[in-house]
C-alpha cells in the first residue's frame, strides 16, 4: 500500500479551539501510527476573516501540543505552498480542466459545477423559487467511522463566487488531489460536504480519499456541540493556566477514541501504537473539564523536578498579580517551595495562592482553621513547648524534625497530631498544606519561630 498522507486544514479565523486540536491530533496520530506524512495546510481564502495573529496561534498551539508537521508552512515540502492564499494559479488551472470537460459553467457571474444526469425544473417551496434539479444517484461515502453513508447531490453548486474567489469545496478538493492526500480525517460537521467533494474528485479524474468523520464534542453539560464561545474551549486558555501539553494530548486522544480497554493515562507513544479507526466511536464525546484537570494532576505528580519548577516559574512570571513580588527573588528557595507543593496541587495555576505564605508575612488566616485548631485542650501551651524545642532542633531533615515534635508530644503524654493543627495554623494561617515537617524545613527556623511567637502573642 502506498504511504498514508493526511492533512490538518484549519482556517485562521479564530482562536484555536479544543475541537480543532482534537482533529489535528487524530490526523497526527494516524500519520505516526502508519508511518505516513502529516501535512499542515492553511485554508485562508476568506481574506476578510483571516488574521496573522490566528495563524501564529495555530502554529504555536500545534507546536506546544507536540504535533509536528512533516509538510506545511515553515516546514516546506514538495507540493507547496501550503497556504491556499498562495495557490490561486493552481485553482485556475483546475477550473480550466472542469471547463474543458464541460463540468463547469458560468451563470450570473459565478461559476457552477455541473452534475451529470437529466435536468428538470421544480418549484422549491422553501426557497420560493424555481430551481433546476438533476436526476442523480446518491453518492456513497464509505466512512471509516460512520460506515456507509448516502447523500444525494441533485443541484449544481457554486465553485467560484461572482467576486472571483473560489469556494471552500473546490479549493479543499483541488488541494487534497494536488497534495496526494489519501485519508481525510475531519470533524463530523463536514460529513454533509463529503458528497459534493466526492463529485468533484470524480469529475477531476482523481481517486477519492478514505474518509473519517470524527464525532462532535459535546458541551460539558446540556445538549449541543461545544462552540468556540464555551468556557474551557480554547487551547490557549489551558496553556495560560499552566496545563501540561502531554496531559491535554492524552485527554484529547480519549475524546472519541479508546484503546479497547478502560485505560486512561497513556504515554503518547502508546497512543500512537494503538490508534486506529476501529477504536474511534460513532457517538459524540462529552467534554469533561474535571477529567482533564484530573489527567493534568496525574502528569504533574510524576513530572521531573526541574520541569515542574520551570513551569511554576513561568506561571509566576506570567501572573505577577497573583503572587508576592519576592516569590522569584531566591531561586533555590522557590524550588524548595514548589517541590514541597508538587504532590499537593491539582494544577500549576493553584501554586501562587497555595504557596503565598512562603513568600510574605501578608497571608490570609483561615477562620475555620483557627476555630478547629484552638478547640481542644490548651494549644497555646503546646505551641510554647514546641517553640522551645524548635530553637535547638535540626531543621535540615524532615525525619529529625519529626523526632523533635514527637519527643515534645511524648513528654506531654500527647501525639504528633495534637501539635500538627496548631503549629500549621501558626506558621501558615491554614489548616491544609504540605506535610508539617517539610513545611518547617523549607520555611526555616527563623520564620517558623517568628510566626509561632507572633501567634502566641496575638
Ligand atoms: N478548513 C476546513 C475547516 O477548518 C477544513 C475542512 C477539511 O478538513 O476538509 O473546517
Amino acid at each position: 500500500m502506498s504511504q498514508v498522507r493526511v492533512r490538518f486544514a484549519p482556517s485562521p479565523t479564530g482562536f484555536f479551539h479544543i475541537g480543532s486540536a482534537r482533529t489535528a491530533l487524530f490526523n497526527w496520530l494516524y500519520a505516526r501510527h502508519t508511518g505516513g506524512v502529516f501535512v499542515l495546510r492553511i485554508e485562508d481564502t476568506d481574506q476578510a476573516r483571516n488574521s496573522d495573529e490566528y495563524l501564529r496561534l495555530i502554529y504555536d498551539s500545534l507546536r506546544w501540543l507536540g504535533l509536528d508537521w512533516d509538510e506545511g508552512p515553515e516546514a516546506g515540502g514538495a507540493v507547496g505552498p501550503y497556504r491556499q492564499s498562495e495557490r490561486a494559479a493552481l485553482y485556475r488551472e483546475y477550473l480550466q480542466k472542469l471547463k474543458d470537460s464541460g463540468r463547469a459553467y458560468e451563470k450570473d457571474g459565478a461559476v457552477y459545477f455541473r452534475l451529470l444526469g437529466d435536468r428538470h425544473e421544480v418549484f422549491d417551496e422553501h426557497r420560493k423559487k424555481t430551481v433546476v434539479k438533476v436526476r442523480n444517484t446518491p453518492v456513497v461515502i464509505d466512512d471509516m467511522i460512520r460506515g456507509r453513508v448516502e447523500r444525494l447531490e441533485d443541484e449544481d453548486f457554486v465553485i467560484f463566487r461572482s467576486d472571483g474567489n473560489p469556494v471552500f469545496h473546490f479549493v479543499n478538493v483541488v488541494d487534497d488531489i494536488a497534495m496526494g492526500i489519501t485519508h481525510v480525517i475531519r470533524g463530523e460537521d463536514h460529513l454533509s460536504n463529503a458528497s459534493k467533494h466526492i463529485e468533484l474528485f470524480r469529475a477531476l479524474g482523481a481517486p477519492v480519499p478514505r474518509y473519517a468523520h470524527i464525532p462532535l464534542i459535546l458541551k460539558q453539560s446540556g445538549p449541543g456541540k461545544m462552540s468556540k464561545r464555551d468556557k474551557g474551549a480554547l487551547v490557549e486558555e489551558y496553556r495560560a493556566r499552566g496545563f501540561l501539553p502531554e496531559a491535554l494530548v492524552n485527554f484529547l486522544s480519549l475524546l472519541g477514541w479508546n484503546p479497547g480497554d478502560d485505560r486512561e493515562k497513556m504515554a503518547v507513544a502508546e497512543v500512537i501504537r494503538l490508534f486506529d479507526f476501529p477504536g474511534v466511536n460513532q457517538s459524540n464525546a462529552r467534554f469533561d473539564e474535571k477529567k482533564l484537570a484530573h489527567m493534568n494532576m496525574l502528569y504533574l505528580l510524576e513530572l521531573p523536578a526541574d520541569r515542574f519548577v520551570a513551569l511554576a516559574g513561568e506561571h509566576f512570571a506570567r501572573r505577577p498579580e497573583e503572587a508576592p513580588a519576592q516569590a522569584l527573588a531566591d531561586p533555590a528557595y522557590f524550588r524548595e517551595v514548589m517541590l514541597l507543593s508538587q504532590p499537593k496541587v491539582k494544577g500549576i495555576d493553584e501554586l501562587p495562592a497555595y504557596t503565598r505564605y512562603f513568600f510574605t508575612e501578608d497571608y490570609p488566616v483561615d477562620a475555620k482553621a483557627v476555630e478547629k485548631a484552638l478547640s481542644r485542650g490548651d494549644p497555646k501551651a503546646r505551641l510554647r513547648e514546641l517553640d522551645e524545642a524548635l530553637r535547638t532542633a535540626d531543621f535540615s531533615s524532615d525525619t529529625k524534625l519529626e523526632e523533635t515534635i514527637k519527643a515534645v508530644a511524648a513528654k506531654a503524654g500527647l501525639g504528633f497530631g495534637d501539635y500538627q493543627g496548631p503549629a500549621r495554623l501558626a506558621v501558615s494561617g491554614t489548616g491544609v498544606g504540605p506535610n508539617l515537617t517539610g513545611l518547617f524545613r523549607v520555611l526555616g527556623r527563623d520564620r517558623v519561630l517568628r510566626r509561632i511567637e507572633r501567634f502566641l502573642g496575638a
Side-chain angles (χ1 to χ4, degrees):
M1 210 185 99
S2 62
Q3 192 178 40
V4 165
R5 289 178 61 84
V6 293
R7 85 299 193 275
F8 173 53
S11 302
T13 54
F15 289 107
F16 200 68
H17 187 240
I18 286 286
S20 303
R22 202 244 334 221
T23 300
L25 174 64
F26 279 22
N27 275 282
W28 181 85
L29 286 171
Y30 194 60
R32 296 295 172 259
H33 174 77
T34 56
V37 176
F38 176 54
V39 178
L40 174 62
R41 177 172 82 222
I42 303 299
E43 303 215 321
D44 58 350
T45 51
D46 186 349
Q47 268 141 17
R49 292 173 61 223
N50 292 324
S51 98
D52 278 352
E53 184 202 339
Y54 293 142
L55 186 63
R56 276 272 129 229
L57 200 56
I58 292 172
Y59 302 158
D60 283 356
S61 303
L62 289 175
R63 288 196 174 111
W64 179 67
L65 290 167
L67 308 182
D68 53 325
W69 54 99
D70 307 307
E71 293 178 24
E74 301 186 352
V79 292
Y82 292 88
R83 290 176 63 171
Q84 290 186 329
S85 56
E86 296 168 3
R87 297 169 67 80
L90 184 79
Y91 304 140
R92 279 195 298 275
E93 203 182 291
Y94 274 77
L95 173 62
Q96 196 54 50
K97 284 189 196 182
L98 286 183
K99 284 185 170 167
D100 291 347
S101 61
R103 299 298 302 275
Y105 63 90
E106 282 184 39
K107 197 178 93 182
D108 307 328
V111 180
Y112 282 76
F113 174 67
R114 181 194 298 279
L115 294 169
L116 299 178
D118 294 339
R119 281 136 210 280
H120 57 285
E121 289 192 347
V122 295
F123 185 75
D124 186 316
E125 290 294 340
H126 199 68
R127 285 177 282 177
K128 303 258 174 287
K129 65 172 190 180
T130 304
V131 295
V132 177
K133 290 276 181 191
V134 179
R135 263 185 253 285
N136 198 2
T137 45
V139 177
V140 176
I141 305 149
D142 177 18
D143 194 272
M144 291 193 287
I145 297 168
R146 306 298 311 221
R148 184 188 161 100
V149 178
E150 288 189 10
R151 269 188 68 87
L152 180 67
E153 290 299 332
D154 62 356
E155 275 181 44
D156 293 348
F157 54 89
V158 175
I159 51 175
F160 270 77
R161 291 194 200 84
S162 46
D163 63 8
N165 285 317
V167 166
F168 158 71
H169 303 300
F170 183 71
V171 291
N172 186 265
V173 168
V174 167
D175 283 346
D176 282 345
I177 296 171
M179 294 180 179
I181 299 303
T182 58
H183 295 71
V184 170
I185 305 166
R186 61 186 176 188
E188 201 181 76
D189 46 332
H190 286 291
L191 184 59
S192 58
N193 295 325
S195 43
K196 285 190 179 64
H197 296 181
I198 291 174
E199 289 281 5
L200 285 166
F201 277 108
R202 290 192 180 134
L204 287 163
V208 177
R210 294 300 313 271
Y211 284 100
H213 287 96
I214 319 169
L216 299 179
I217 303 176
L218 299 176
K219 277 207 260 260
Q220 177 108 331
S221 58
K225 164 190 164 184
M226 195 167 176
S227 88
K228 299 197 191 209
R229 287 169 300 280
D230 284 319
K231 188 182 156 289
L234 302 180
V235 171
E236 193 54 23
E237 188 186 312
Y238 293 102
R239 189 176 178 181
R241 282 168 58 189
F243 273 66
L244 297 175
E246 54 270 48
L248 191 53
V249 162
N250 193 155
F251 171 80
L252 289 173
S253 70
L254 296 171
L255 269 183
W257 173 82
N258 67 71
D261 51 38
D262 50 16
R263 255 183 310 167
E264 301 236 296
K265 184 164 180 295
M266 294 168 76
V268 72
E270 183 66 354
V271 179
I272 289 172
R273 191 172 75 77
L274 296 171
F275 186 85
D276 211 339
F277 287 100
V280 177
N281 308 326
Q282 278 198 25
S283 54
N284 295 334
R286 192 171 290 283
F287 183 81
D288 181 350
E289 201 177 340
K290 278 217 188 82
K291 186 171 163 185
L292 171 55
H294 181 73
M295 186 68 84
N296 190 57
M297 188 192 70
L298 297 180
Y299 277 88
L300 275 182
L301 271 176
E302 61 180 38
L303 206 64
D306 285 349
R307 201 161 153 234
F308 185 86
V309 175
L311 272 176
E314 281 168 27
H315 192 77
F316 275 71
R318 193 163 50 219
R319 304 278 180 90
E321 69 288 358
E322 289 179 18
Q326 57 274 32
L328 291 164
D330 177 350
Y333 180 62
F334 181 81
R335 182 185 174 87
E336 289 292 313
V337 173
M338 294 306 132
L339 294 182
L340 190 63
S341 310
Q342 181 173 8
K344 296 291 181 172
V345 292
K346 289 202 190 67
I348 293 280
D349 54 344
E350 289 178 5
L351 284 168
Y354 189 81
T355 62
R356 182 173 181 87
Y357 58 79
F358 283 97
F359 303 112
T360 174
E361 297 305 315
D362 170 27
Y363 53 83
V365 175
D366 179 356
K368 275 220 183 77
V370 173
E371 203 182 300
K372 192 167 167 232
L374 302 186
S375 63
R376 281 183 307 125
D378 186 353
K380 291 214 170 178
R382 271 175 263 151
L383 283 176
R384 271 191 292 273
E385 294 155 20
L386 198 59
D387 184 73
E388 186 64 36
L390 289 174
R391 280 168 209 242
T392 51
D394 181 350
F395 268 73
S396 68
S397 102
D398 288 18
T399 333
K400 295 223 172 101
L401 279 167
E402 192 177 327
E403 282 165 11
T404 304
I405 302 169
K406 279 188 173 153
V408 173
K411 221 168 126 191
L414 296 167
F416 185 89
D418 297 305
Y419 289 78
Q420 171 147 274
R424 179 186 297 286
L425 178 69
V427 302
S428 72
T430 155
V432 291
N435 68 65
L436 187 69
T437 50
L439 182 60
F440 279 3
R441 172 176 51 77
V442 173
L443 277 172
R445 189 195 319 271
D446 287 354
R447 271 198 205 82
V448 168
L449 292 180
R450 204 179 334 120
R451 289 183 184 180
I452 291 180
E453 281 152 27
R454 191 176 61 202
F455 186 83
L456 286 170

